[in-house]
Amino acid sequence: MTTEISRTATDIFERMRTTNPLVQCITNYVAMNYAANVLLAAGASPAMVHTPEESGEFATIASALTVNIGTLSPDWVEGMIAAAKSANDADKPWVLDPVAHFATSYRRDTVAELLKLNPTVIRGNASEIIALGGGQSAGQGVDSGDPVEQAEEAARGLASMQGAVVAVTGEVDFITDGNRSVRIAGGSDLMAKITATGCSLTALVGAYLGTAPDQAFEATVAALGNFAVAGEIAAKTSNGPASFMTAFIDGLHNLDGETYARNLRIDPQ
């Protein structure tokens, strides 16, 4: 059944591929190459600009900013904060990926500072979102120990508290702005076998936000739908993680609006 949110997601998907948004990605060492290739294949333009000397200035140029705290250092944190402040000043949307924010006091303090700068979207796994909402999670490091459905209440509360869209990703994704919510099915179990998949999704959310900055909820749904559809298609021709990586990048590149709309599985809540 085609819903209004599905039609809007498809429209944003097609617009993103034709506008080639410039996305500033402050992400971790492990994810840089893969995230850049995901954005290029999907139709966006990545810029891995993170130093404090230029990150703030570049954020005013980019269509959107994404901040991933996977591998922190003082200079990188300074660059993240400078970029987020500049994005806000320039009225540019930005995404926060609070990777394992509960693991150390340095991560907790960094995320607390970034949350004060009002991210447009917060994307994380179930354990990260539960902990960010003040709950007790079962996460270990960057891996989620909780199912997505257990994070839905925390996601709604966090979205309302922050005035942000919150995306919980996993076997079935959950997106909410505190009022509206949807679930998205698709993807593949092989995604969990490849490092930087979630980090790359955060970058792709930035591309969609840069395309539709006034439709943050719909843009986030469209981005997660893109990942889910491409992942499900790629899994059909893959024999394992290595072949899946190739098929997934190709799938992002080759996906068209008709195929996207036909395979998109959105369940409004």
Side-chain angles (χ1 to χ4, degrees), residues 59-97:
T60 67
I61 300 169
S63 301
L65 164 72
T66 66
V67 175
N68 173 299
I69 71 162
T71 50
L72 290 176
S73 69
D75 281 351
W76 281 53
V77 172
E78 186 180 347
M80 292 172 182
I81 291 172
K85 286 181 176 178
S86 290
N88 286 339
D89 290 343
D91 200 25
K92 299 294 182 69
W94 73 279
V95 187
L96 174 62
D97 189 337

PDB file of all heavy atoms in Angstrom, residues 59-97:
ATOM      1  N   ALA A  59      31.264  24.247   7.259  1.00  0.00           N
ATOM      2  CA  ALA A  59      29.866  23.931   7.567  1.00  0.00           C
ATOM      3  C   ALA A  59      28.909  24.959   6.970  1.00  0.00           C
ATOM      4  O   ALA A  59      27.738  24.642   6.720  1.00  0.00           O
ATOM      5  CB  ALA A  59      29.660  23.832   9.071  1.00  0.00           C
ATOM      6  N   THR A  60      29.379  26.164   6.752  1.00  0.00           N
ATOM      7  CA  THR A  60      28.514  27.188   6.144  1.00  0.00           C
ATOM      8  C   THR A  60      28.364  26.975   4.641  1.00  0.00           C
ATOM      9  O   THR A  60      27.445  27.510   4.026  1.00  0.00           O
ATOM     10  CB  THR A  60      29.066  28.600   6.404  1.00  0.00           C
ATOM     11  OG1 THR A  60      30.311  28.775   5.708  1.00  0.00           O
ATOM     12  CG2 THR A  60      29.295  28.833   7.893  1.00  0.00           C
ATOM     13  N   ILE A  61      29.284  26.191   4.062  1.00  0.00           N
ATOM     14  CA  ILE A  61      29.255  25.908   2.628  1.00  0.00           C
ATOM     15  C   ILE A  61      28.436  24.665   2.322  1.00  0.00           C
ATOM     16  O   ILE A  61      27.715  24.594   1.317  1.00  0.00           O
ATOM     17  CB  ILE A  61      30.694  25.709   2.096  1.00  0.00           C
ATOM     18  CG1 ILE A  61      31.532  26.962   2.327  1.00  0.00           C
ATOM     19  CG2 ILE A  61      30.690  25.336   0.616  1.00  0.00           C
ATOM     20  CD1 ILE A  61      33.008  26.752   2.070  1.00  0.00           C
ATOM     21  N   ALA A  62      28.550  23.660   3.181  1.00  0.00           N
ATOM     22  CA  ALA A  62      27.913  22.365   2.937  1.00  0.00           C
ATOM     23  C   ALA A  62      26.392  22.453   3.007  1.00  0.00           C
ATOM     24  O   ALA A  62      25.832  23.341   3.660  1.00  0.00           O
ATOM     25  CB  ALA A  62      28.408  21.344   3.960  1.00  0.00           C
ATOM     26  N   SER A  63      25.739  21.512   2.355  1.00  0.00           N
ATOM     27  CA  SER A  63      24.277  21.422   2.429  1.00  0.00           C
ATOM     28  C   SER A  63      23.836  20.903   3.786  1.00  0.00           C
ATOM     29  O   SER A  63      22.749  21.239   4.262  1.00  0.00           O
ATOM     30  CB  SER A  63      23.751  20.493   1.336  1.00  0.00           C
ATOM     31  OG  SER A  63      24.113  20.954   0.054  1.00  0.00           O
ATOM     32  N   ALA A  64      24.676  20.060   4.405  1.00  0.00           N
ATOM     33  CA  ALA A  64      24.368  19.484   5.717  1.00  0.00           C
ATOM     34  C   ALA A  64      25.668  19.002   6.350  1.00  0.00           C
ATOM     35  O   ALA A  64      26.676  18.791   5.665  1.00  0.00           O
ATOM     36  CB  ALA A  64      23.379  18.332   5.594  1.00  0.00           C
ATOM     37  N   LEU A  65      25.624  18.819   7.657  1.00  0.00           N
ATOM     38  CA  LEU A  65      26.754  18.346   8.441  1.00  0.00           C
ATOM     39  C   LEU A  65      26.371  17.056   9.145  1.00  0.00           C
ATOM     40  O   LEU A  65      25.244  16.921   9.628  1.00  0.00           O
ATOM     41  CB  LEU A  65      27.131  19.402   9.488  1.00  0.00           C
ATOM     42  CG  LEU A  65      28.025  18.973  10.653  1.00  0.00           C
ATOM     43  CD1 LEU A  65      29.463  18.726  10.169  1.00  0.00           C
ATOM     44  CD2 LEU A  65      27.994  20.015  11.767  1.00  0.00           C
ATOM     45  N   THR A  66      27.313  16.098   9.209  1.00  0.00           N
ATOM     46  CA  THR A  66      27.108  14.917  10.037  1.00  0.00           C
ATOM     47  C   THR A  66      28.285  14.770  10.995  1.00  0.00           C
ATOM     48  O   THR A  66      29.437  14.966  10.614  1.00  0.00           O
ATOM     49  CB  THR A  66      26.954  13.637   9.193  1.00  0.00           C
ATOM     50  OG1 THR A  66      28.172  13.340   8.511  1.00  0.00           O
ATOM     51  CG2 THR A  66      25.830  13.788   8.176  1.00  0.00           C
ATOM     52  N   VAL A  67      27.974  14.427  12.251  1.00  0.00           N
ATOM     53  CA  VAL A  67      28.988  14.305  13.297  1.00  0.00           C
ATOM     54  C   VAL A  67      28.884  12.918  13.921  1.00  0.00           C
ATOM     55  O   VAL A  67      27.848  12.564  14.491  1.00  0.00           O
ATOM     56  CB  VAL A  67      28.816  15.387  14.380  1.00  0.00           C
ATOM     57  CG1 VAL A  67      29.796  15.161  15.522  1.00  0.00           C
ATOM     58  CG2 VAL A  67      29.007  16.782  13.783  1.00  0.00           C
ATOM     59  N   ASN A  68      29.958  12.149  13.816  1.00  0.00           N
ATOM     60  CA  ASN A  68      30.034  10.795  14.346  1.00  0.00           C
ATOM     61  C   ASN A  68      31.195  10.749  15.334  1.00  0.00           C
ATOM     62  O   ASN A  68      32.322  11.098  14.991  1.00  0.00           O
ATOM     63  CB  ASN A  68      30.250   9.824  13.182  1.00  0.00           C
ATOM     64  CG  ASN A  68      30.519   8.398  13.612  1.00  0.00           C
ATOM     65  OD1 ASN A  68      31.483   8.120  14.298  1.00  0.00           O
ATOM     66  ND2 ASN A  68      29.680   7.480  13.163  1.00  0.00           N
ATOM     67  N   ILE A  69      30.941  10.322  16.584  1.00  0.00           N
ATOM     68  CA  ILE A  69      31.965  10.402  17.628  1.00  0.00           C
ATOM     69  C   ILE A  69      32.743   9.100  17.792  1.00  0.00           C
ATOM     70  O   ILE A  69      33.344   8.861  18.834  1.00  0.00           O
ATOM     71  CB  ILE A  69      31.354  10.827  18.978  1.00  0.00           C
ATOM     72  CG1 ILE A  69      30.485   9.690  19.564  1.00  0.00           C
ATOM     73  CG2 ILE A  69      30.554  12.107  18.849  1.00  0.00           C
ATOM     74  CD1 ILE A  69      30.215   9.843  21.045  1.00  0.00           C
ATOM     75  N   GLY A  70      32.815   8.300  16.761  1.00  0.00           N
ATOM     76  CA  GLY A  70      33.427   6.985  16.868  1.00  0.00           C
ATOM     77  C   GLY A  70      34.854   6.970  17.367  1.00  0.00           C
ATOM     78  O   GLY A  70      35.230   6.145  18.201  1.00  0.00           O
ATOM     79  N   THR A  71      35.696   7.834  16.833  1.00  0.00           N
ATOM     80  CA  THR A  71      37.096   7.896  17.278  1.00  0.00           C
ATOM     81  C   THR A  71      37.402   9.329  17.687  1.00  0.00           C
ATOM     82  O   THR A  71      37.711  10.177  16.851  1.00  0.00           O
ATOM     83  CB  THR A  71      38.064   7.439  16.163  1.00  0.00           C
ATOM     84  OG1 THR A  71      37.762   8.129  14.951  1.00  0.00           O
ATOM     85  CG2 THR A  71      37.951   5.948  15.926  1.00  0.00           C
ATOM     86  N   LEU A  72      37.322   9.586  18.978  1.00  0.00           N
ATOM     87  CA  LEU A  72      37.444  10.946  19.499  1.00  0.00           C
ATOM     88  C   LEU A  72      38.892  11.321  19.807  1.00  0.00           C
ATOM     89  O   LEU A  72      39.698  10.482  20.191  1.00  0.00           O
ATOM     90  CB  LEU A  72      36.621  11.093  20.778  1.00  0.00           C
ATOM     91  CG  LEU A  72      35.113  11.081  20.638  1.00  0.00           C
ATOM     92  CD1 LEU A  72      34.463  11.150  22.022  1.00  0.00           C
ATOM     93  CD2 LEU A  72      34.631  12.226  19.763  1.00  0.00           C
ATOM     94  N   SER A  73      39.172  12.600  19.668  1.00  0.00           N
ATOM     95  CA  SER A  73      40.403  13.212  20.155  1.00  0.00           C
ATOM     96  C   SER A  73      40.066  14.681  20.409  1.00  0.00           C
ATOM     97  O   SER A  73      39.077  15.201  19.865  1.00  0.00           O
ATOM     98  CB  SER A  73      41.537  13.093  19.132  1.00  0.00           C
ATOM     99  OG  SER A  73      41.274  13.899  18.001  1.00  0.00           O
ATOM    100  N   PRO A  74      40.853  15.375  21.227  1.00  0.00           N
ATOM    101  CA  PRO A  74      40.520  16.774  21.540  1.00  0.00           C
ATOM    102  C   PRO A  74      40.355  17.661  20.311  1.00  0.00           C
ATOM    103  O   PRO A  74      39.408  18.457  20.244  1.00  0.00           O
ATOM    104  CB  PRO A  74      41.705  17.215  22.409  1.00  0.00           C
ATOM    105  CG  PRO A  74      42.136  15.956  23.090  1.00  0.00           C
ATOM    106  CD  PRO A  74      41.965  14.881  22.061  1.00  0.00           C
ATOM    107  N   ASP A  75      41.243  17.532  19.320  1.00  0.00           N
ATOM    108  CA  ASP A  75      41.130  18.357  18.122  1.00  0.00           C
ATOM    109  C   ASP A  75      39.849  18.043  17.353  1.00  0.00           C
ATOM    110  O   ASP A  75      39.184  18.945  16.825  1.00  0.00           O
ATOM    111  CB  ASP A  75      42.338  18.150  17.214  1.00  0.00           C
ATOM    112  CG  ASP A  75      43.560  18.908  17.689  1.00  0.00           C
ATOM    113  OD1 ASP A  75      43.421  19.735  18.619  1.00  0.00           O
ATOM    114  OD2 ASP A  75      44.653  18.688  17.135  1.00  0.00           O
ATOM    115  N   TRP A  76      39.519  16.755  17.275  1.00  0.00           N
ATOM    116  CA  TRP A  76      38.303  16.374  16.554  1.00  0.00           C
ATOM    117  C   TRP A  76      37.065  16.897  17.272  1.00  0.00           C
ATOM    118  O   TRP A  76      36.121  17.366  16.629  1.00  0.00           O
ATOM    119  CB  TRP A  76      38.235  14.855  16.387  1.00  0.00           C
ATOM    120  CG  TRP A  76      39.100  14.352  15.282  1.00  0.00           C
ATOM    121  CD1 TRP A  76      40.432  14.610  15.105  1.00  0.00           C
ATOM    122  CD2 TRP A  76      38.707  13.525  14.191  1.00  0.00           C
ATOM    123  NE1 TRP A  76      40.893  13.980  13.983  1.00  0.00           N
ATOM    124  CE2 TRP A  76      39.859  13.297  13.403  1.00  0.00           C
ATOM    125  CE3 TRP A  76      37.506  12.928  13.822  1.00  0.00           C
ATOM    126  CZ2 TRP A  76      39.838  12.519  12.248  1.00  0.00           C
ATOM    127  CZ3 TRP A  76      37.486  12.144  12.683  1.00  0.00           C
ATOM    128  CH2 TRP A  76      38.629  11.939  11.903  1.00  0.00           C
ATOM    129  N   VAL A  77      37.046  16.811  18.571  1.00  0.00           N
ATOM    130  CA  VAL A  77      35.903  17.336  19.325  1.00  0.00           C
ATOM    131  C   VAL A  77      35.769  18.834  19.097  1.00  0.00           C
ATOM    132  O   VAL A  77      34.664  19.352  18.899  1.00  0.00           O
ATOM    133  CB  VAL A  77      36.048  17.013  20.825  1.00  0.00           C
ATOM    134  CG1 VAL A  77      34.962  17.723  21.628  1.00  0.00           C
ATOM    135  CG2 VAL A  77      35.971  15.508  21.053  1.00  0.00           C
ATOM    136  N   GLU A  78      36.886  19.533  19.122  1.00  0.00           N
ATOM    137  CA  GLU A  78      36.855  20.976  18.862  1.00  0.00           C
ATOM    138  C   GLU A  78      36.290  21.256  17.471  1.00  0.00           C
ATOM    139  O   GLU A  78      35.484  22.175  17.278  1.00  0.00           O
ATOM    140  CB  GLU A  78      38.263  21.548  18.987  1.00  0.00           C
ATOM    141  CG  GLU A  78      38.322  23.065  18.867  1.00  0.00           C
ATOM    142  CD  GLU A  78      39.730  23.618  19.000  1.00  0.00           C
ATOM    143  OE1 GLU A  78      40.635  22.859  19.424  1.00  0.00           O
ATOM    144  OE2 GLU A  78      39.936  24.809  18.671  1.00  0.00           O
ATOM    145  N   GLY A  79      36.691  20.438  16.500  1.00  0.00           N
ATOM    146  CA  GLY A  79      36.163  20.606  15.148  1.00  0.00           C
ATOM    147  C   GLY A  79      34.685  20.301  15.050  1.00  0.00           C
ATOM    148  O   GLY A  79      33.938  20.987  14.339  1.00  0.00           O
ATOM    149  N   MET A  80      34.237  19.283  15.772  1.00  0.00           N
ATOM    150  CA  MET A  80      32.812  18.944  15.788  1.00  0.00           C
ATOM    151  C   MET A  80      31.975  20.096  16.334  1.00  0.00           C
ATOM    152  O   MET A  80      30.940  20.470  15.760  1.00  0.00           O
ATOM    153  CB  MET A  80      32.580  17.699  16.646  1.00  0.00           C
ATOM    154  CG  MET A  80      33.146  16.418  16.094  1.00  0.00           C
ATOM    155  SD  MET A  80      33.024  15.058  17.312  1.00  0.00           S
ATOM    156  CE  MET A  80      33.801  13.730  16.415  1.00  0.00           C
ATOM    157  N   ILE A  81      32.411  20.638  17.449  1.00  0.00           N
ATOM    158  CA  ILE A  81      31.662  21.717  18.086  1.00  0.00           C
ATOM    159  C   ILE A  81      31.658  22.969  17.206  1.00  0.00           C
ATOM    160  O   ILE A  81      30.618  23.625  17.033  1.00  0.00           O
ATOM    161  CB  ILE A  81      32.240  22.007  19.485  1.00  0.00           C
ATOM    162  CG1 ILE A  81      31.943  20.822  20.411  1.00  0.00           C
ATOM    163  CG2 ILE A  81      31.659  23.300  20.061  1.00  0.00           C
ATOM    164  CD1 ILE A  81      32.617  20.904  21.760  1.00  0.00           C
ATOM    165  N   ALA A  82      32.807  23.282  16.617  1.00  0.00           N
ATOM    166  CA  ALA A  82      32.879  24.454  15.733  1.00  0.00           C
ATOM    167  C   ALA A  82      31.953  24.287  14.533  1.00  0.00           C
ATOM    168  O   ALA A  82      31.255  25.232  14.128  1.00  0.00           O
ATOM    169  CB  ALA A  82      34.318  24.664  15.266  1.00  0.00           C
ATOM    170  N   ALA A  83      31.936  23.087  13.952  1.00  0.00           N
ATOM    171  CA  ALA A  83      31.091  22.834  12.789  1.00  0.00           C
ATOM    172  C   ALA A  83      29.613  22.907  13.149  1.00  0.00           C
ATOM    173  O   ALA A  83      28.803  23.488  12.414  1.00  0.00           O
ATOM    174  CB  ALA A  83      31.424  21.480  12.183  1.00  0.00           C
ATOM    175  N   ALA A  84      29.236  22.314  14.281  1.00  0.00           N
ATOM    176  CA  ALA A  84      27.831  22.334  14.690  1.00  0.00           C
ATOM    177  C   ALA A  84      27.358  23.756  14.972  1.00  0.00           C
ATOM    178  O   ALA A  84      26.241  24.140  14.600  1.00  0.00           O
ATOM    179  CB  ALA A  84      27.634  21.455  15.912  1.00  0.00           C
ATOM    180  N   LYS A  85      28.200  24.544  15.615  1.00  0.00           N
ATOM    181  CA  LYS A  85      27.832  25.944  15.879  1.00  0.00           C
ATOM    182  C   LYS A  85      27.651  26.708  14.574  1.00  0.00           C
ATOM    183  O   LYS A  85      26.685  27.469  14.420  1.00  0.00           O
ATOM    184  CB  LYS A  85      28.902  26.608  16.740  1.00  0.00           C
ATOM    185  CG  LYS A  85      28.901  26.174  18.196  1.00  0.00           C
ATOM    186  CD  LYS A  85      29.980  26.894  18.989  1.00  0.00           C
ATOM    187  CE  LYS A  85      29.926  26.525  20.467  1.00  0.00           C
ATOM    188  NZ  LYS A  85      31.009  27.189  21.237  1.00  0.00           N
ATOM    189  N   SER A  86      28.553  26.506  13.636  1.00  0.00           N
ATOM    190  CA  SER A  86      28.452  27.203  12.356  1.00  0.00           C
ATOM    191  C   SER A  86      27.235  26.736  11.559  1.00  0.00           C
ATOM    192  O   SER A  86      26.577  27.543  10.889  1.00  0.00           O
ATOM    193  CB  SER A  86      29.721  26.988  11.534  1.00  0.00           C
ATOM    194  OG  SER A  86      30.808  27.681  12.098  1.00  0.00           O
ATOM    195  N   ALA A  87      26.961  25.438  11.611  1.00  0.00           N
ATOM    196  CA  ALA A  87      25.771  24.930  10.918  1.00  0.00           C
ATOM    197  C   ALA A  87      24.517  25.599  11.466  1.00  0.00           C
ATOM    198  O   ALA A  87      23.620  26.002  10.700  1.00  0.00           O
ATOM    199  CB  ALA A  87      25.686  23.414  11.067  1.00  0.00           C
ATOM    200  N   ASN A  88      24.451  25.720  12.780  1.00  0.00           N
ATOM    201  CA  ASN A  88      23.294  26.385  13.384  1.00  0.00           C
ATOM    202  C   ASN A  88      23.207  27.840  12.940  1.00  0.00           C
ATOM    203  O   ASN A  88      22.124  28.342  12.586  1.00  0.00           O
ATOM    204  CB  ASN A  88      23.383  26.313  14.906  1.00  0.00           C
ATOM    205  CG  ASN A  88      23.067  24.943  15.450  1.00  0.00           C
ATOM    206  OD1 ASN A  88      22.411  24.133  14.792  1.00  0.00           O
ATOM    207  ND2 ASN A  88      23.527  24.654  16.660  1.00  0.00           N
ATOM    208  N   ASP A  89      24.332  28.534  12.959  1.00  0.00           N
ATOM    209  CA  ASP A  89      24.343  29.950  12.574  1.00  0.00           C
ATOM    210  C   ASP A  89      23.926  30.144  11.123  1.00  0.00           C
ATOM    211  O   ASP A  89      23.301  31.142  10.774  1.00  0.00           O
ATOM    212  CB  ASP A  89      25.732  30.544  12.796  1.00  0.00           C
ATOM    213  CG  ASP A  89      26.095  30.679  14.271  1.00  0.00           C
ATOM    214  OD1 ASP A  89      25.176  30.631  15.117  1.00  0.00           O
ATOM    215  OD2 ASP A  89      27.295  30.831  14.578  1.00  0.00           O
ATOM    216  N   ALA A  90      24.299  29.170  10.273  1.00  0.00           N
ATOM    217  CA  ALA A  90      23.981  29.253   8.849  1.00  0.00           C
ATOM    218  C   ALA A  90      22.647  28.591   8.514  1.00  0.00           C
ATOM    219  O   ALA A  90      22.278  28.503   7.338  1.00  0.00           O
ATOM    220  CB  ALA A  90      25.093  28.603   8.033  1.00  0.00           C
ATOM    221  N   ASP A  91      21.922  28.127   9.541  1.00  0.00           N
ATOM    222  CA  ASP A  91      20.638  27.459   9.363  1.00  0.00           C
ATOM    223  C   ASP A  91      20.761  26.225   8.477  1.00  0.00           C
ATOM    224  O   ASP A  91      19.917  25.972   7.616  1.00  0.00           O
ATOM    225  CB  ASP A  91      19.598  28.436   8.788  1.00  0.00           C
ATOM    226  CG  ASP A  91      18.171  27.969   9.040  1.00  0.00           C
ATOM    227  OD1 ASP A  91      17.947  27.214  10.001  1.00  0.00           O
ATOM    228  OD2 ASP A  91      17.275  28.355   8.250  1.00  0.00           O
ATOM    229  N   LYS A  92      21.851  25.464   8.710  1.00  0.00           N
ATOM    230  CA  LYS A  92      22.064  24.211   7.985  1.00  0.00           C
ATOM    231  C   LYS A  92      21.747  23.036   8.915  1.00  0.00           C
ATOM    232  O   LYS A  92      22.100  23.064  10.099  1.00  0.00           O
ATOM    233  CB  LYS A  92      23.522  24.096   7.520  1.00  0.00           C
ATOM    234  CG  LYS A  92      23.983  25.190   6.576  1.00  0.00           C
ATOM    235  CD  LYS A  92      23.269  25.121   5.249  1.00  0.00           C
ATOM    236  CE  LYS A  92      23.754  26.183   4.280  1.00  0.00           C
ATOM    237  NZ  LYS A  92      25.136  25.959   3.795  1.00  0.00           N
ATOM    238  N   PRO A  93      21.099  21.999   8.419  1.00  0.00           N
ATOM    239  CA  PRO A  93      20.774  20.848   9.277  1.00  0.00           C
ATOM    240  C   PRO A  93      22.013  20.024   9.599  1.00  0.00           C
ATOM    241  O   PRO A  93      22.968  19.979   8.814  1.00  0.00           O
ATOM    242  CB  PRO A  93      19.798  20.046   8.419  1.00  0.00           C
ATOM    243  CG  PRO A  93      20.189  20.374   7.007  1.00  0.00           C
ATOM    244  CD  PRO A  93      20.631  21.811   7.031  1.00  0.00           C
ATOM    245  N   TRP A  94      21.973  19.353  10.755  1.00  0.00           N
ATOM    246  CA  TRP A  94      23.100  18.474  11.073  1.00  0.00           C
ATOM    247  C   TRP A  94      22.642  17.253  11.845  1.00  0.00           C
ATOM    248  O   TRP A  94      21.607  17.263  12.500  1.00  0.00           O
ATOM    249  CB  TRP A  94      24.216  19.236  11.780  1.00  0.00           C
ATOM    250  CG  TRP A  94      24.008  19.653  13.200  1.00  0.00           C
ATOM    251  CD1 TRP A  94      23.315  20.736  13.647  1.00  0.00           C
ATOM    252  CD2 TRP A  94      24.544  19.020  14.371  1.00  0.00           C
ATOM    253  NE1 TRP A  94      23.377  20.814  15.009  1.00  0.00           N
ATOM    254  CE2 TRP A  94      24.127  19.788  15.491  1.00  0.00           C
ATOM    255  CE3 TRP A  94      25.340  17.892  14.597  1.00  0.00           C
ATOM    256  CZ2 TRP A  94      24.477  19.443  16.806  1.00  0.00           C
ATOM    257  CZ3 TRP A  94      25.684  17.551  15.893  1.00  0.00           C
ATOM    258  CH2 TRP A  94      25.261  18.333  16.977  1.00  0.00           C
ATOM    259  N   VAL A  95      23.430  16.180  11.719  1.00  0.00           N
ATOM    260  CA  VAL A  95      23.093  14.878  12.275  1.00  0.00           C
ATOM    261  C   VAL A  95      24.136  14.485  13.314  1.00  0.00           C
ATOM    262  O   VAL A  95      25.338  14.633  13.077  1.00  0.00           O
ATOM    263  CB  VAL A  95      23.059  13.792  11.179  1.00  0.00           C
ATOM    264  CG1 VAL A  95      22.532  12.466  11.744  1.00  0.00           C
ATOM    265  CG2 VAL A  95      22.222  14.247   9.987  1.00  0.00           C
ATOM    266  N   LEU A  96      23.678  13.967  14.442  1.00  0.00           N
ATOM    267  CA  LEU A  96      24.570  13.459  15.487  1.00  0.00           C
ATOM    268  C   LEU A  96      24.461  11.939  15.558  1.00  0.00           C
ATOM    269  O   LEU A  96      23.369  11.395  15.695  1.00  0.00           O
ATOM    270  CB  LEU A  96      24.209  14.065  16.843  1.00  0.00           C
ATOM    271  CG  LEU A  96      24.967  13.503  18.058  1.00  0.00           C
ATOM    272  CD1 LEU A  96      26.467  13.772  17.933  1.00  0.00           C
ATOM    273  CD2 LEU A  96      24.423  14.093  19.354  1.00  0.00           C
ATOM    274  N   ASP A  97      25.611  11.276  15.495  1.00  0.00           N
ATOM    275  CA  ASP A  97      25.698   9.831  15.677  1.00  0.00           C
ATOM    276  C   ASP A  97      26.484   9.589  16.966  1.00  0.00           C
ATOM    277  O   ASP A  97      27.718   9.653  16.975  1.00  0.00           O
ATOM    278  CB  ASP A  97      26.421   9.208  14.482  1.00  0.00           C
ATOM    279  CG  ASP A  97      26.359   7.683  14.479  1.00  0.00           C
ATOM    280  OD1 ASP A  97      26.159   7.093  15.556  1.00  0.00           O
ATOM    281  OD2 ASP A  97      26.538   7.087  13.397  1.00  0.00           O
TER     282      ASP A  97
END
